Amino acid sequence: MAIDASGAAIDGHVLLGERHCTACHAVGGTATSWITPKTAPRLTGLSGRADAGWVRRFLAAPDATLPGTTMPDVLHRLPAADREGAAEALTHHLFSSATPAAAIRVYPDKAAIARGEALYHRVGCVACHAPQDAAAEAGSSVPLPRMEEKWTHAPLRQFLLDPTAVRPSGRMPAMGLTDREASDIAHYLLRATRVHSPLEATVCRARLRSLADLDTAEAVRTVPVDGFTLAVPGADGRLALRFNGWLRVDVAGNHTFRLSADGATRLSIDGEWIEDVDCWDRDETNAEGSLLLLPGWHAVRLDFAQRGSKPPRLQVEMEGPGIPRGPIAAERLRADREIRPGSTPVPFVVDAAKAERGKALFASLDCATCHDGKMPAKVMPELVRADPVRGCLADAPAAGVPGFVLSDAERTALRSALVGLGRPDLAAPSSQQRLAHSMATFRCTACHVRDGAGGVTAGRDRYFTSNGEDLGEEGRLPPRLDGVGDKLRPAWLGDVLAKGTGVRPYLDTRMPRFGATNVGHLAALFVALDRRPRSPAPMSDTADARREAGRTLVGTDGLSCIACHRFNRQPAHALQVLDLATTTERLNEDWFRAFLREPERFNVGTRMPSFWPGGASPMPALLGADTDRQHAAIWTYLADGARAKAPEGLSRESMELVVGGEAVVYRGKLWEAGFRAVAAGYPEQVDMAFDAEESRLALLWRGRFLNAGPHWGVQGMGQIRPLGTDVVVLPRGPAFAVLADAVAAWPTGTGRGPATKFRGYQLDASKRPTLLYTVHGTEVEDFLAGAVAEGRPSVRRTLRFHGAVPAGLHLRLASGKLAPVDGDAWQLDGMLKIRVQGGTAIVRGEGGRKELLVPVDTAAAKDGLEVVYAW
């Protein structure tokens, strides 16, 4: 096997997939199972993502524009004089499918850049990409382009949220970022963006004792402003602002500056203060000062903080040679000393003739075979018959083939793989080989160790951190994968691999989300290779006896497991490690019981103590001091999951609302449902929360209802979250909207407004609420109840409409990844099945951004709509 410059082994079969050799070469039989193709990015929507100039330069010289790219040079066959024209034509063709819009360059928000820098180096981006604060390790990083040349903020933020929508092969996974996190990382990656502004204003959050405290205050955001104005975007509430920029002086001489403000303010020119010493002690500022300034650019800074009861006010004036007294003109200011281009790029205009030529080139170069997955018109040569020293692998590729930039080690590895694939006795890869191949393909070994290979390298070690205390290496490094198929239940293992499901809150590095299509096969491989079932000793104790003994062992009267482990989201006494309530959902019972006997054997260096050294019980008075019985008792107790009775010693600050034979209703502030939530728990062990502020269904979940304790603490502002499992967050914003047609964009913003009004709710004999509200003049009765659909716990929702229904009224039921199931239902994010009766469901959008809509037509208004949500 070849070795690259960093000393890492190169798998030629992985390279065959990374270079997408099967796009141009036919492969079949056993050879297929050795290759995992990396498909090229989708070109749909390219004009809304990438800068046209960057695309043109990239097509003309891929490796020079993005060193290390896997995109071959398809234009190398053309004479040098024709390459630029061909790249130009292809760009016009690629941008002709939609009207190209001018890319909106966003001013680099330095506060967001600082947050984004921390996130980029903490959540796992540097496992694959080069750290931006240090030299990259040779040959070990996935290259990034000059981000500010290719991207603008909005499309990059969207790409970070859902990379597989553009790159379906999953090599770039989603990192479970929130909207703000994606925005912050986008700001960081685009920090070199050039946007002109007269001044930059920083909005600060701090309790100030003087204006000097702004030096250390937390920056909330930085924004461009046209001058010294208090109308700064994002400066809500009491103002604490710092303005920075450069002032142009044309003629040498004394220049006078005057400050007038209601509030504390000070101004410096080249570090010399016009007003400073006692400005904080007064609610008003009236100051004047003169400085001798030479022609050129001079650093200017102004601090302002709201003081006193008067509305804040600020006026800055300048007077000097050739400059009459008055506000400083914007053309004399700029936020950066260096000259920056304008903030509005020239729109790219598609030339029809060039686009037509580009279309012909796109076809003749067979671009669609990689980017659209279309078979070329010509017969595809067989991969296993390819000459390993000619064609793409020649030292100097001929004009008729793609021009890949390959190192000698990569070329050697590819040639070796081709020879092996062409052997007549080629066998299918073993499970071990398939797993190793997949882990290399998706770079799992950049974080995880298995069979002695992989793991965090020394050059990246410092970026893997913990937010916990005293947890050692297992508290900051991703877990080893040795024996993981024996440890984890297959369903949970599948969710970890496909969805990035995690249970280690103390790890800052996040598990990537590659998607089930790409890595769904790995769970079965891990299980096939690792599973070694053990036969637990039979137990004669009743389930109730085991459950109560397990509760004792977990609590402070027993082994005090809750001293380190969280329990059902409630904090532990000390370390805050894995939540015990998820134990039986995640682990195989036989592995768990073996682990309790010898934790160190399964995880060398673990902080988990061995409570049964040598198999001897630490609690001889419980279950006859029998270790097997005690382990079975803990398992039985934890098997109740979120429904388990809290162990002794857990926080007593609990006011759990327990649902019995009738529904329980809670009103108040609730996570994701707002300040005016109406939540209901039903005897069928399903729950819902309605946001009365926006008149929308906000949450659905199963199991336990709510702990209202936080409502009575912190002046009623404590955060209350569902206690149960399988929580589904439904879309924010308006639930109802009037659309011109089925493709019209759903309105953004909140659901509040004159078109929506909540009118309260009524309870039936079983205490189940009917929610009453008005949308667009139509009165709605919205009744929800627990039920069982097809043997599954479900929520049945009935909506009735009274009064005239406006044409085009639609109800949005869900937003996310929607897949059809059972003919007439839709599954949301692989968890919740939604079926509509009395109306026709419409699904629109792509990838993970689909919407499920129901038109409220005359028939629906007459007979009502029924929606069943089932897990």
Side-chain angles (χ1 to χ4, degrees):
M1 183 173 288
I3 304 297
D4 70 9
S6 68
I10 302 177
D11 186 336
H13 303 100
V14 173
L15 273 181
L16 288 171
E18 295 305 290
R19 301 293 174 161
H20 201 186
C21 300
T22 54
C24 296
H25 291 275
V27 62
T30 305
T32 305
S33 59
W34 284 91
I35 303 173
T36 304
K38 173 189 173 184
T39 56
R42 290 171 174 153
L43 296 179
T44 303
L46 178 66
S47 62
R49 295 196 306 270
D51 177 81
W54 185 91
V55 171
R56 177 184 54 76
R57 293 191 298 275
F58 181 69
L59 292 173
D63 196 69
T65 306
L66 178 56
T69 180
T70 57
M71 165 79 176
D73 185 352
V74 296
L75 301 181
H76 78 100
R77 67 191 71 179
L78 300 178
D82 297 339
R83 290 169 60 90
E84 290 292 337
E88 179 82 8
L90 282 168
T91 303
H92 280 267
H93 166 60
L94 294 174
F95 278 60
S96 66
S97 60
T99 302
I104 300 175
R105 292 181 182 149
V106 175
Y107 189 86
D109 181 344
K110 290 184 174 60
I113 289 170
R115 295 190 299 267
E117 180 178 18
L119 283 167
Y120 177 88
H121 292 98
R122 187 177 70 236
V123 301
C125 304
V126 296
C128 294
H129 298 291
Q132 301 290 293
D133 58 357
E137 296 179 55
S140 63
S141 297
V142 176
L144 291 174
R146 291 182 180 271
M147 300 295 287
E148 71 280 1
E149 294 181 2
K150 177 181 179 181
W151 295 92
T152 53
H153 182 268
L156 179 56
R157 169 190 160 276
Q158 185 59 43
F159 175 73
L160 292 173
L161 287 171
D162 188 13
T164 55
V166 176
R167 299 175 180 269
S169 295
R171 270 44 165 202
M172 169 66 186
M175 296 302 294
L177 301 173
T178 65
D179 283 351
R180 176 172 175 173
E181 288 174 336
S183 177
D184 287 347
I185 293 178
H187 270 293
Y188 172 61
L189 294 175
L190 297 173
R191 60 194 179 278
T193 299
R194 305 303 195 196
V195 177
H196 169 73
S197 173
L199 287 173
E200 175 184 273
T202 300
V203 181
C204 298
R205 180 188 293 124
R207 291 188 177 184
L208 304 179
R209 295 185 298 273
S210 72
L211 288 176
D213 288 347
L214 288 174
D215 293 340
T216 56
E218 177 189 356
V220 177
R221 64 187 307 190
T222 59
V223 293
V225 289
D226 292 333
F228 295 105
T229 172
L230 298 184
V232 176
D236 301 324
R238 296 184 65 85
L239 298 177
L241 304 170
R242 170 165 285 177
F243 298 84
N244 283 294
W246 294 83
L247 170 68
R248 192 188 79 239
V249 170
D250 299 323
V251 181
N254 286 322
H255 292 72
T256 301
F257 298 87
R258 296 178 178 86
L259 295 178
S260 176
D262 289 321
T265 190
R266 61 180 184 172
L267 173 71
S268 77
I269 308 294
D270 292 332
E272 187 169 345
W273 294 104
I274 301 300
E275 172 73 2
D276 183 19
V277 179
D278 58 354
C279 62
W280 185 259
D281 298 327
R282 301 188 303 269
D283 294 345
E284 295 182 19
T285 299
N286 289 287
E288 179 178 318
S290 296
L291 296 172
L292 175 61
L293 299 178
L294 299 177
W297 291 96
H298 299 267
V300 58
R301 190 177 95 185
L302 183 139
D303 293 340
F304 178 89
Q306 185 175 352
R307 298 274 286 163
S309 58
K310 292 182 180 180
R313 178 182 61 86
L314 173 66
Q315 184 177 34
V316 182
E317 294 182 313
M318 175 182 176
E319 183 178 6
I323 304 174
R325 177 176 174 175
I328 302 175
E331 57 266 22
R332 288 193 174 276
L333 297 167
R334 64 185 184 206
D336 292 278
R337 188 169 188 172
E338 61 182 285
I339 297 176
R340 292 175 177 256
S343 59
T344 306
V346 177
F348 179 78
V349 179
V350 173
D351 183 296
K354 291 180 179 179
E356 193 62 29
R357 184 192 171 210
K359 180 179 180 181
L361 276 170
F362 191 87
S364 66
L365 296 171
D366 290 328
C367 301
T369 60
C370 285
H371 288 280
D372 298 331
K374 295 181 179 178
M375 299 291 289
K378 58 188 178 183
V379 177
M380 296 173 65
E382 291 187 58
L383 181 64
V384 296
R385 297 184 182 278
D387 189 329
V389 296
R390 300 179 61 188
C392 299
L393 294 182
D395 294 335
V401 299
F404 287 103
V405 177
L406 299 169
S407 68
D408 290 342
E410 289 173 328
R411 194 172 280 108
T412 298
L414 285 166
R415 288 168 174 168
S416 176
L418 286 177
V419 170
L421 291 178
R423 292 177 53 180
D425 60 345
L426 177 69
S430 66
S431 294
Q432 185 70 38
Q433 289 171 320
R434 289 181 61 205
L435 181 62
H437 177 87
S438 293
M439 290 184 65
T441 295
F442 294 102
R443 298 178 69 94
C444 307
T445 50
C447 293
H448 298 280
V449 176
R450 182 177 170 92
D451 297 330
V456 177
T457 61
R460 283 173 160 85
D461 182 77
R462 67 189 179 95
Y463 301 106
F464 287 77
T465 57
S466 172
N467 56 62
E469 297 180 3
D470 194 31
L471 294 175
E473 296 292 84
E474 65 181 330
R476 69 178 189 90
L477 295 178
R480 299 176 66 90
L481 298 184
D482 296 295
V484 69
D486 190 37
K487 172 183 178 179
L488 297 180
R489 296 169 66 92
W492 181 270
L493 183 54
D495 282 348
V496 171
L497 293 166
K499 303 177 183 178
T501 303
V503 293
R504 291 175 169 82
Y506 43 83
L507 285 184
D508 287 330
T509 304
R510 301 178 186 177
M511 175 66 190
R513 303 176 181 181
F514 296 98
T517 302
N518 297 310
V519 297
H521 64 287
L522 292 182
L525 284 176
F526 279 118
V527 172
L529 289 167
D530 297 345
R531 190 72 177 109
R532 300 293 182 270
R534 308 157 187 84
S535 298
M539 295 293 110
S540 59
D541 304 296
T542 66
D544 286 343
R546 293 198 303 273
R547 185 176 293 109
E548 190 56 38
R551 179 173 177 268
T552 299
L553 285 162
V554 168
T556 52
D557 289 343
L559 304 177
S560 288
C561 304
I562 55 173
C564 297
H565 287 273
R566 296 182 304 153
F567 191 93
N568 199 20
R569 298 184 180 177
Q570 294 207 46
H573 298 166
L575 297 183
Q576 314 306 327
V577 296
L578 289 78
D579 195 324
L580 291 174
T582 68
T583 298
T584 61
E585 182 183 2
R586 295 184 294 109
L587 306 179
N588 289 311
E589 181 181 1
D590 58 334
W591 184 93
F592 172 75
R593 292 170 66 170
F595 175 76
L596 290 181
R597 282 183 175 270
E598 299 178 85
E600 182 76 15
R601 181 166 70 88
F602 292 89
N603 191 0
V604 177
T606 181
R607 299 297 174 95
M608 171 73 178
S610 178
F611 288 110
W612 290 268
S617 170
M619 299 191 68
L622 193 65
L623 298 179
D626 188 304
T627 295
D628 287 327
R629 292 171 65 190
Q630 291 180 0
H631 291 171
I634 294 175
W635 180 267
T636 302
Y637 169 61
L638 296 180
D640 284 341
R643 299 185 302 276
K645 185 178 178 181
E648 192 66 32
L650 199 64
S651 172
R652 290 170 172 77
E653 298 177 3
S654 175
M655 297 182 62
E656 183 172 348
L657 303 178
V658 179
V659 181
E662 60 185 15
V664 175
V665 175
Y666 164 85
R667 288 200 64 177
K669 182 183 177 184
L670 180 61
W671 173 77
E672 290 291 339
F675 285 84
R676 298 179 59 199
V678 179
Y682 300 96
E684 293 81 4
Q685 288 293 293
V686 291
D687 317 272
M688 73 85 181
F690 186 85
D691 182 353
E693 184 76 5
E694 296 191 349
S695 295
R696 66 179 181 93
L697 185 60
L699 295 170
L700 295 168
W701 70 97
R702 295 197 298 163
R704 292 167 61 191
F705 187 35
L706 297 172
N707 170 23
H711 180 83
W712 305 101
V714 199
Q715 298 181 346
M717 298 301 289
Q719 187 181 66
I720 298 176
R721 300 173 65 100
L723 290 179
T725 60
D726 298 329
V727 180
V728 178
V729 180
L730 297 170
R732 301 178 181 87
F736 288 87
V738 174
L739 304 180
D741 52 52
V743 298
W746 196 262
T748 58
T750 68
R752 295 170 51 188
T756 303
K757 183 179 180 180
F758 183 68
R759 298 185 294 115
Y761 62 90
Q762 298 174 341
L763 300 178
D764 67 6
S766 297
K767 302 293 180 66
R768 299 175 299 186
T770 297
L771 304 155
L772 310 173
Y773 50 95
T774 302
V775 290
H776 296 279
T778 302
E779 293 184 359
V780 182
E781 293 181 7
D782 196 346
F783 174 72
L784 296 99
V788 176
E790 302 172 0
R792 301 177 178 179
S794 63
V795 172
R796 186 175 296 274
R797 183 183 188 188
T798 304
L799 297 106
R800 301 191 182 281
F801 304 88
H802 304 281
V805 175
L809 184 64
H810 288 72
L811 166 63
R812 183 169 66 169
L813 292 175
S815 177
K817 292 185 178 180
L818 290 159
V821 291
D822 298 342
D824 61 346
W826 295 87
Q827 190 171 54
L828 173 63
D829 294 334
M831 181 187 300
L832 189 72
K833 185 165 69 173
I834 304 174
R835 176 175 278 111
V836 178
Q837 300 173 1
T840 301
I842 298 173
V843 173
R844 63 185 194 175
E846 295 181 353
R849 302 294 174 188
K850 292 182 180 178
E851 293 177 314
L852 178 61
L853 308 182
V854 179
V856 184
D857 54 19
T858 304
K862 177 183 177 182
D863 301 324
L865 291 173
E866 187 163 284
V867 184
V868 177
Y869 307 88
W871 282 266

